[in-house]
Amino acid sequence: MDEEKVLRGDEGVGVQRAMELLVALGEAFEAERLVGITSAHVSGVSYKNIGDVGLDLLKDLAKLGSKVKVLTTTNPCGMDLKRWREMGVRDEDAEKQFEVLKCFKRLGVKTTCTCTPYLIGFSPRFGDRLAWAESSAIIYANSVLGARTNRESGISALAAAIVGKTPFYGMHLDANRRYTAVVKVDVKLDEAYRYGALGYLVSNTLKSGVPLILGLKRPTIEKLKALSAALGTSASITMFQAPGITPETPKVDLPMVGVEKITVNGVEIKQLMESFQSSKAPDLIFLGCPHCGLNELRNLATFLEGRRVKSGKKLWICTSRRVKAKALKLECIDTIERAGGKVFTDTCLVVALAKDIYRLTIATDSFKAAHYLRSLHRAEVTVNSWKHCLENVT
């Protein structure tokens, strides 16, 4: 691609505008050049988040005939695309949401509507350069998969997708991927939500940089997903290092002189858990932030076999369409819904257009969900293990 020709508008106004945004971004961060990317992941998909202003911007881009040049996926939207009425979404809001997704499709974007593209067949390879705009997926990609992406905004990720390139700065540079602090884990982390607690504590303590986390004991994908999600909540952290987990960590010397050191112990985990408790019994259990994988749905179905959600209580579980399709074949979805739960796709409670739901007292196993439900929606939220959450309503 001749970048000068693109800036002159030789390839169309849409690509020109995208290139202008990337050049401005690169100049702001003193990037020397643009580099090619293999994929993009766009946030700002829920009409709840972008409103009419964002929808009008997408319509303008689509009218210009812009098309993405690389594989591009989307974050969750504001509703289950088939069962939105069950969520309490109003007709007028649903119509706007469908318009948003129509614009993305016209741009050539795959409207996957999930925060976990790496669980549905779009997992980048080691060293791939990306332009991703979902905090949990960014951290997972950088830290577990060894791909390289900055924490893009929805619009910068879309611009990069249209151009096929991104500015060469931040997490694309070797120097910025080295650890800047050491975190010693001095507590047993036996469940995914406790990995979330670790991530939330580190996020609130360090705020930025790359923590080297020591003491993780062969965590599962589910635990690493929870850690990545919580790390990205209240800080600008985009990567962690962990021996045996991060592909680059063995290449890094481990001198611990001149870097900040913190220890996370059981007392701090307990105090954090106490700060995320409510005096009220939960009305709604929400699981699936980030979206549930197949193993998680299997475990939930096994637990709920023969149980029933109590009258007046709700159980909402969010996952991707592709994972739900696999779970349907294993009869996991039937088991969960026979018990009174609802398995929704395409969305997340944090960005859902179901306004009345935030008046309820919510229990979740996700620190990311709890953080945003509190800060964005002023909801009353409790955090605990998924088993504890389910025991409260069955």
Side-chain angles (χ1 to χ4, degrees):
M1 173 188 288
D2 189 324
E3 295 170 7
E4 292 297 330
K5 288 184 178 179
V6 172
L7 279 173
R8 287 199 306 265
D10 292 1
E11 294 194 19
V13 177
V15 184
Q16 180 186 30
R17 288 184 182 176
M19 179 65 86
E20 287 172 348
L21 188 152
L22 295 179
V23 169
L25 184 64
E27 288 175 349
F29 287 97
E30 300 181 346
E32 294 181 356
R33 65 184 191 277
L34 301 179
V35 290
I37 58 172
T38 59
S39 71
H41 183 78
V42 181
S43 63
V45 181
S46 172
Y47 176 69
K48 181 183 187 69
N49 290 350
I50 66 172
D52 287 331
V53 173
L55 176 55
D56 288 342
L57 173 63
L58 289 172
K59 286 180 177 178
D60 287 344
L61 280 173
K63 285 177 183 176
L64 292 171
S66 305
K67 294 285 185 182
V68 298
K69 288 186 170 58
V70 297
L71 169 69
T72 306
T73 51
T74 61
N75 236 22
C77 70
M79 62 190 194
D80 186 302
L81 297 179
K82 292 183 178 179
R83 303 173 68 183
W84 51 272
R85 286 192 174 90
E86 294 178 48
M87 299 181 67
V89 177
R90 299 180 305 177
D91 287 9
E92 55 267 38
D93 288 334
E95 184 179 344
K96 293 284 189 177
Q97 184 61 77
F98 283 122
E99 284 189 66
V100 170
L101 295 176
K102 183 179 179 181
C103 290
F104 277 119
K105 289 177 181 178
R106 287 179 64 188
L107 291 166
V109 175
K110 293 181 180 295
T111 51
T112 50
C113 297
T114 181
C115 51
T116 55
Y118 50 87
L119 292 183
I120 62 167
F122 301 118
S123 185
R125 298 168 299 180
F126 176 79
D128 279 356
R129 299 194 186 279
L130 322 171
W132 281 17
E134 154 57 33
S135 60
S136 66
I138 289 162
I139 295 174
Y140 191 93
N142 279 322
S143 311
V144 180
L145 303 177
R148 299 190 170 208
T149 180
N150 288 315
R151 188 171 185 165
E152 303 287 353
S153 66
I155 190 63
S156 69
L158 185 56
I162 291 170
V163 174
K165 296 184 177 184
T166 193
F168 186 56
Y169 76 97
M171 301 313 293
H172 293 283
L173 304 175
D174 290 343
N176 294 330
R177 298 174 69 84
R178 301 186 183 115
Y179 68 89
T180 57
V182 176
V183 178
K184 181 181 178 183
V185 179
D186 192 19
V187 60
K188 184 179 180 181
L189 301 176
D190 51 352
E191 296 185 67
Y193 84 100
R194 290 172 70 81
Y195 273 78
L198 169 65
Y200 198 77
L201 284 168
V202 173
S203 174
N204 277 281
T205 302
L206 297 180
K207 300 297 183 184
S208 62
V210 179
L212 172 66
I213 304 177
L214 304 177
L216 300 183
K217 306 297 184 182
R218 302 185 66 175
T220 61
I221 289 175
E222 293 76 22
K223 292 173 179 177
L224 292 171
K225 182 159 62 84
L227 172 62
S228 298
L231 266 174
T233 53
S234 60
S236 59
I237 293 172
T238 53
M239 179 180 180
F240 67 86
Q241 294 265 1
I245 297 169
T246 308
E248 294 156 83
T249 299
K251 301 176 184 178
V252 179
D253 294 331
L254 298 178
M256 298 182 187
V257 178
V259 297
E260 183 177 359
K261 303 178 186 67
I262 63 172
T263 299
V264 175
N265 56 41
V267 173
E268 291 171 308
I269 297 284
K270 182 181 178 182
Q271 290 173 342
L272 177 65
M273 292 299 302
E274 289 173 349
S275 73
F276 275 94
Q277 299 301 309
S278 171
S279 59
K280 299 179 182 178
D283 305 301
L284 166 68
I285 304 301
F286 167 55
L287 307 173
C289 179
H291 277 172
C292 284
L294 186 58
N295 285 339
E296 290 165 297
L297 292 176
R298 276 200 195 108
N299 291 336
L300 294 173
T302 299
F303 182 88
L304 288 168
E305 183 72 54
R307 292 175 178 255
R308 181 73 190 174
V309 176
K310 296 174 184 175
S311 176
K313 305 294 184 179
K314 296 177 183 290
L315 168 60
W316 284 14
I317 299 165
C318 287
T319 188
S320 65
R321 269 171 267 141
R322 189 169 296 188
V323 169
K324 184 176 180 179
K326 292 179 180 179
L328 276 167
K329 293 179 180 178
L330 299 175
E331 300 185 356
C332 299
I333 306 302
D334 290 342
T335 301
I336 292 169
E337 300 212 338
R338 271 199 310 269
K342 291 186 181 294
V343 181
F344 292 122
T345 62
D346 312 308
T347 191
C348 170
L349 194 61
V350 173
V351 299
L353 289 159
K355 297 178 181 179
D356 291 342
I357 210 74
Y358 304 119
R359 300 174 186 173
L360 303 178
T361 301
I362 302 168
T364 182
D365 62 345
S366 167
F367 277 92
K368 176 178 180 177
H371 176 85
Y372 288 117
L373 287 171
R374 274 185 173 184
S375 61
L376 297 178
H377 306 299
R378 301 293 183 262
E380 191 154 356
V381 189
T382 292
V383 179
N384 218 309
S385 70
W386 63 264
K387 283 185 180 179
H388 188 276
C389 289
L390 293 182
E391 285 168 350
N392 276 331
V393 297
T394 58

